Amino acid sequence: MTRLTSDVWVSAYLTRLRLVDIPAFVTAKGDVTAGAVLIKLNTLDGNAVAYQRSFDLMSGERAWVELAKGDESVVDAALAKQRTFDPDLWVIEVEDKNGRHLLDEPGLSD
């Protein structure tokens, strides 16, 4: 199975968000071919959630899981720490008061 490159996936994700009027920004550009992608959901009330892609080796399933949640500064610190381990990471910041990120939609959830 052919996998999408990171830059293509990010571009498609940003387009999906834009189509439903959810602002999103690339805050850290990673490796265009194989960089992992972290999503920061900013609910514009001082809180945020960071999501990372998880892969279950036993089942082969992939899912978005919470990396950090709470005060935005705590989430930002967690993202910065991840970038020290992997400078090839992409970080996408999604801003939505209603907490929408679309990661649970078909094509993004699996």
Side-chain angles (χ1 to χ4, degrees), residues 13-14 17-18 21-27 92-95:
Y13 180 56
L14 293 174
L17 291 165
R18 188 172 42 254
D21 296 321
I22 299 174
F25 312 92
V26 175
T27 59
I92 309 301
E93 182 164 347
V94 177
E95 295 181 344

Side-chain angles (χ1 to χ4, degrees), residues 30-78:
D31 182 78
V32 296
T33 304
V37 179
L38 301 178
I39 307 296
K40 174 187 169 188
L41 172 62
N42 182 345
T43 52
L44 306 172
D45 61 358
N47 293 303
V49 183
Y51 296 94
Q52 67 180 2
R53 192 75 157 160
S54 176
F55 183 76
D56 185 332
L57 293 175
M58 298 301 287
S59 69
E61 293 185 25
R62 297 183 312 179
W64 289 98
V65 296
E66 287 183 8
L67 171 67
K69 182 178 183 176
D71 186 78
E72 186 177 5
S73 63
V74 171
V75 173
D76 285 341

